[in-house]
Amino acid sequence: MNKTVCALIAVLAITSPLLHPPSSTAAEPGRPQIVSPEVKADRTVVFRLLAPKVTQAAVNGEFGGRQPMTKDDSGLWSATVGPLDPDIYSYTFDVDGVQTVDPRNGYVKTGRSTTSLVQVPGESPTFYDAREIPHGAVTVQWYPSKSLGTLRRMHVYTPPGYDAARGAKLPVLYLLHGSGDDDSGWTWIGRANFIADNLIAEHKARPMVIVMPMGHAAPPPKPGEGAEAYIRNAAAFQDDLLKEVMPFVEKHYRVATDAAHTAIAGLSMGGGQSLAVGLKHPDRFAWIGAFSSGGNLRGKTDDLLADAKDMNQKLRLLWLACGKQDFLFKVNEQFDALLTERQITHEFHVTEGTHTWRLWRPYLREFLGKIFKEKAKS
Amino acid sequence: MNKTVCALIAVLAITSPLLHPPSSTAAEPGRPQIVSPEVKADRTVVFRLLAPKVTQAAVNGEFGGRQPMTKDDSGLWSATVGPLDPDIYSYTFDVDGVQTVDPRNGYVKTGRSTTSLVQVPGESPTFYDAREIPHGAVTVQWYPSKSLGTLRRMHVYTPPGYDAARGAKLPVLYLLHGSGDDDSGWTWIGRANFIADNLIAEHKARPMVIVMPMGHAAPPPKPGEGAEAYIRNAAAFQDDLLKEVMPFVEKHYRVATDAAHTAIAGLSMGGGQSLAVGLKHPDRFAWIGAFSSGGNLRGKTDDLLADAKDMNQKLRLLWLACGKQDFLFKVNEQFDALLTERQITHEFHVTEGTHTWRLWRPYLREFLGKIFKEKAKS
């Protein structure tokens, strides 16, 4: 392929319909053609909403809070934000007090809540963009769970060139979502597949299978419930993971089964689950990642370390990460201190930022670059 | 598994998070717990929206047009519709003139527009529900398209027990989405995978691979453009399908490559594409399905039949379907008449209904039951 085509692909990769459905930008009869969001060359973003009858409108986004929109004579509301750092931002419109998606934007985050997404591209494709390199696939896999008495779903990433029939067994990462998402979140919002593709192409991560199970296994928290709901959920999830998901994956995918080639990591609720399951089963998982963790980490953290004996011999990596402005920073900091006090080897990666996907994509990149390395143990 | 567990699975299959993310039903601090939609036992559905500042609200749905909502003293709007026939319905809220999703409902349809979905279950699981039977998988597959100069995406259904390495080659259906959707639509909205699983379990369809490519290949229609935009798009799509998608699938999946084991079908825009590509390439596709077709069918239909010589010898099935109340019914009826006039063997399946997924799921079931049958040709 020549350079022009490569450059074209680089640009298209960011905006192409493969990453998100085409927006509804065709004009409807009798209505002006409204584009929203519009990402300008200077990285400002214009949001627009045709709503003549509405008396108050604003945009709320991960770019820093609520920004009022102003209405012109035709009833078109708009607001400009930025310039923004290149990244993917979640946002909603506030329409007379109702939170809604941007009706002109087909790029949405689904899960417990539905929000709109906008990518502000940088000069060149970044670590989560689809580039002109070999790509893996993501399989949506249904499986019967006897533990939970229902059919369940997981997403499974297989790396470029994966062949179910031939080759060595691959290391496997179990990657868990947060309470607001489901098993599709790490692919569609987190772009775990493209992050892995890019690292593998650069030889910065080993080819691996990434299993993204559904983390909701018990009813959601009741009003007023805190950590106990997450602890109950994690117990049900652990049963499903160890008794159903892992045997299913080990039967149907070409994956290694020893702890040295098995990792578990997750974000928020999934970070708490990774600690709850991983620290209790160091014979199954030698690599643990906990990003902006909540859930179980908000309960009695001593319980997480009940089986901490020999942990340093068994674990290859225990990696915590959290943003300083995250509402969960304090519990993460406390757990870091507890691990230090108990002399459990670990890393605590502290960054700027709050409790959003803007941190979890780079955390995953960091973590994938660290696991399954065959470094000598002293 | 005992009968109780089976019954539990049957019930859970309809409402379980595997089919859609859990709704945001946990109460937020200081706000009442609002459930929307609520499907009652009598198959009425209550929609609710907390919006004290809004002056007018309504629900618009596939259950029959716009229904005003009424506000109580707390600012909670609600409307009750039905009783409704068991089915899956798309709907939006109209909030002071702005179309929005239901903020309490995590079950959404994405694509060019984002709408909420609600399933009204019947007495027992139906043909598109996940039942306690073996399930296939759906792989999200990226591939480089030289024709289009970009990375593209497709969804690929493989049937229960599919083994990439072993067994006979399977027949393959290329299944195309409509203009409002993307390559994920047939899975997440259409439930093609569960429809196929159920038919295969009942021996009413042959195990097959179903390839669901991205149908948007050219820029969307410009204001005022009609069929010509779809014809331009279908030409670009055809290049991608024949030169990229099919060779990729034939290399990476265990599929037959002869016309007798290759089908093409689609809905709306995808129906037009199926006719445009299929009728020009009867040496590649012996089975063609066109559901509620638009796009190319709204152009010069004579062009579709330019290569109609020997069509009856080559095609095993040419199956049109349309709802009588569809805005595209007339062009489908006219094409049926043209085929009859030209003595081209075909079926025209006419049903009640408009231009919605409520028809396309049953059309797919019908079509899957007809294709790849080894009936004797006279």
Side-chain angles (χ1 to χ4, degrees):
Chain A
M1 231 179 274
N2 65 35
K3 274 193 182 171
T4 315
V5 174
C6 291
L8 182 65
I9 285 180
V11 172
L12 285 173
I14 294 169
T15 54
S16 99
L18 84 96
L19 293 180
H20 48 86
S23 298
S24 177
T25 52
E28 288 154 32
R31 299 183 72 177
Q33 182 162 348
I34 293 156
V35 177
S36 183
E38 182 188 357
V39 181
K40 301 216 166 185
D42 66 356
R43 301 204 315 267
T44 56
V45 183
V46 186
F47 299 95
R48 297 187 179 91
L49 175 71
L50 185 67
K53 291 184 209 158
V54 166
T55 56
Q56 212 173 33
V59 57
N60 279 302
E62 288 178 346
F63 31 78
R66 174 190 166 88
Q67 172 138 347
M69 300 173 88
T70 54
K71 183 156 68 164
D72 72 10
D73 291 344
S74 71
L76 182 68
W77 295 82
S78 63
T80 301
V81 302
L84 299 176
D85 291 337
D87 212 329
I88 300 169
Y89 298 85
S90 170
Y91 70 96
T92 53
F93 287 159
D94 177 334
V95 176
D96 281 343
V98 177
Q99 263 208 3
T100 76
V101 292
D102 180 346
R104 308 305 292 176
N105 183 2
Y107 184 25
V108 292
K109 170 202 168 307
T110 61
R112 286 211 171 165
S113 63
T114 310
T115 66
S116 298
L117 295 171
V118 59
Q119 178 167 3
V120 178
E123 299 282 309
S124 55
T126 188
F127 70 96
Y128 51 68
D129 282 321
R131 305 183 199 176
E132 194 215 348
I133 53 166
H135 288 278
V138 176
T139 298
V140 187
Q141 184 78 63
W142 286 265
Y143 66 97
S145 171
K146 285 184 194 128
S147 308
L148 297 174
T150 185
L151 193 71
R152 297 266 290 178
R153 197 182 72 188
M154 60 178 119
H155 281 56
V156 183
Y157 167 82
T158 51
Y162 172 81
D163 184 329
R166 271 178 298 273
K169 292 197 167 184
L170 295 174
V172 56
L173 162 64
Y174 292 87
L175 184 60
L176 315 181
H177 63 81
S179 67
D181 300 317
D182 64 23
D183 58 306
S184 73
W186 267 112
T187 303
W188 296 123
I189 317 165
R191 301 206 185 163
N193 56 315
F194 293 138
I195 294 172
D197 288 345
N198 288 331
L199 288 172
I200 291 168
E202 294 165 5
H203 304 287
K204 289 180 179 164
R206 286 187 59 181
M208 67 181 83
V209 171
I210 303 177
V211 177
M212 297 163 277
M214 169 66 98
H216 298 291
K222 298 189 195 90
E225 266 197 318
E228 61 274 27
Y230 290 99
I231 292 165
R232 191 174 61 229
N233 182 63
F237 169 77
Q238 173 176 296
D239 261 11
D240 186 49
L241 180 70
L242 298 178
K243 296 180 189 165
E244 316 287 347
V245 171
M246 292 178 72
F248 187 97
V249 167
E250 288 164 3
K251 184 175 173 190
H252 294 282
Y253 291 84
R254 195 160 49 73
V255 295
T257 56
D258 59 319
H261 295 93
T262 308
I264 187 165
L267 73 87
S268 194
M269 175 183 87
Q273 288 170 325
S274 298
L275 295 171
V277 179
L279 293 173
K280 290 278 166 78
H281 298 89
D283 294 321
R284 305 293 301 272
F285 309 94
W287 315 82
I288 302 175
F291 315 157
S292 311
S293 299
N296 295 61
L297 202 59
R298 302 167 82 176
K300 274 185 68 191
T301 46
D302 260 343
D303 290 356
L304 297 172
L305 300 177
D307 302 319
K309 195 165 62 75
D310 303 331
M311 200 82 89
N312 287 340
Q313 277 67 55
K314 290 177 177 171
L315 285 187
R316 298 279 196 95
L317 179 69
L318 173 54
W319 194 78
L320 313 182
C322 198
K324 281 188 225 170
Q325 293 78 32
D326 192 324
F327 73 100
L328 291 168
F329 185 69
K330 198 176 168 192
V331 292
N332 280 270
E333 207 176 31
Q334 287 167 342
F335 191 60
D336 165 57
L338 181 66
L339 290 171
T340 303
E341 182 197 313
R342 300 284 179 88
Q343 296 183 303
I344 297 174
T345 308
H346 70 286
E347 298 176 24
F348 185 31
H349 179 67
V350 174
T351 66
E352 298 298 317
T354 60
H355 199 71
T356 76
W357 276 103
R358 295 187 61 198
L359 273 62
W360 302 326
R361 294 182 197 94
Y363 288 170
L364 179 65
R365 176 184 51 174
E366 291 286 320
F367 186 72
L368 293 185
K370 289 172 179 287
I371 56 177
F372 308 135
K373 307 284 177 172
E374 303 295 346
K375 66 176 176 190
K377 292 275 287 182
S378 60
Chain B
M1 231 180 274
N2 65 34
K3 275 194 183 172
T4 313
V5 174
C6 292
L8 182 66
I9 285 181
V11 172
L12 285 174
I14 294 169
T15 53
S16 100
L18 83 99
L19 294 180
H20 49 84
S23 299
S24 175
T25 50
E28 290 154 31
R31 300 183 72 176
Q33 183 162 348
I34 293 157
V35 177
S36 183
E38 183 189 355
V39 182
K40 300 215 167 185
D42 65 357
R43 300 204 316 269
T44 57
V45 182
V46 186
F47 298 94
R48 297 187 179 92
L49 175 72
L50 185 67
K53 292 184 206 156
V54 165
T55 55
Q56 212 171 33
V59 57
N60 279 302
E62 288 178 347
F63 32 76
R66 177 189 165 87
Q67 172 138 348
M69 300 173 88
T70 53
K71 184 156 69 166
D72 73 9
D73 292 343
S74 71
L76 182 69
W77 295 82
S78 62
T80 301
V81 303
L84 300 176
D85 292 336
D87 211 330
I88 300 169
Y89 298 85
S90 171
Y91 71 96
T92 54
F93 287 158
D94 178 335
V95 175
D96 281 344
V98 177
Q99 264 207 4
T100 76
V101 293
D102 180 346
R104 306 306 292 176
N105 182 2
Y107 184 25
V108 292
K109 170 201 168 308
T110 62
R112 285 210 172 166
S113 62
T114 310
T115 65
S116 297
L117 294 171
V118 58
Q119 176 166 3
V120 178
E123 299 283 309
S124 55
T126 186
F127 70 97
Y128 52 67
D129 282 321
R131 304 183 200 178
E132 195 215 348
I133 54 169
H135 288 278
V138 176
T139 299
V140 188
Q141 184 79 61
W142 286 266
Y143 65 98
S145 171
K146 284 184 195 129
S147 310
L148 297 174
T150 186
L151 192 73
R152 297 266 290 177
R153 198 182 72 188
M154 60 177 119
H155 280 57
V156 183
Y157 166 82
T158 50
Y162 172 80
D163 184 327
R166 273 177 296 274
K169 292 196 167 186
L170 294 173
V172 56
L173 163 64
Y174 292 88
L175 184 61
L176 316 181
H177 62 81
S179 67
D181 299 318
D182 65 22
D183 58 304
S184 73
W186 267 112
T187 302
W188 297 122
I189 317 165
R191 301 204 185 165
N193 56 315
F194 293 138
I195 295 173
D197 287 345
N198 287 330
L199 288 171
I200 291 167
E202 294 165 6
H203 304 287
K204 290 180 180 165
R206 286 187 58 182
M208 67 181 82
V209 171
I210 303 179
V211 178
M212 296 163 278
M214 168 67 96
H216 298 291
K222 298 188 196 91
E225 268 197 318
E228 61 273 28
Y230 290 99
I231 292 164
R232 190 173 63 229
N233 182 62
F237 169 76
Q238 174 177 294
D239 261 12
D240 187 50
L241 180 70
L242 298 178
K243 294 178 189 167
E244 316 287 349
V245 171
M246 292 177 72
F248 186 99
V249 167
E250 289 165 3
K251 184 175 172 190
H252 294 281
Y253 291 83
R254 195 160 48 72
V255 295
T257 57
D258 59 319
H261 295 92
T262 309
I264 188 166
L267 73 89
S268 196
M269 175 182 88
Q273 288 171 325
S274 298
L275 295 171
V277 179
L279 293 173
K280 290 278 165 81
H281 299 89
D283 294 322
R284 306 293 301 273
F285 309 94
W287 316 82
I288 301 175
F291 315 157
S292 312
S293 298
N296 295 60
L297 202 60
R298 302 167 82 177
K300 277 186 65 190
T301 47
D302 261 342
D303 290 355
L304 296 172
L305 300 177
D307 303 319
K309 194 165 63 75
D310 303 333
M311 200 82 89
N312 287 342
Q313 277 67 54
K314 290 178 176 170
L315 285 187
R316 298 281 193 93
L317 179 68
L318 172 54
W319 194 78
L320 313 181
C322 200
K324 280 188 224 170
Q325 292 79 32
D326 192 324
F327 72 101
L328 291 168
F329 185 69
K330 199 177 169 191
V331 293
N332 280 271
E333 206 176 32
Q334 286 166 344
F335 190 61
D336 165 57
L338 181 67
L339 290 170
T340 303
E341 182 197 314
R342 299 286 178 87
Q343 296 183 302
I344 297 173
T345 308
H346 70 286
E347 297 176 25
F348 185 30
H349 179 67
V350 175
T351 66
E352 299 297 318
T354 59
H355 198 71
T356 76
W357 276 104
R358 296 187 60 199
L359 273 61
W360 302 325
R361 294 182 197 94
Y363 289 171
L364 180 65
R365 176 183 53 174
E366 291 287 318
F367 186 72
L368 292 185
K370 288 173 180 286
I371 57 177
F372 308 135
K373 306 283 178 170
E374 305 292 348
K375 66 176 176 190
K377 292 275 289 182
S378 61

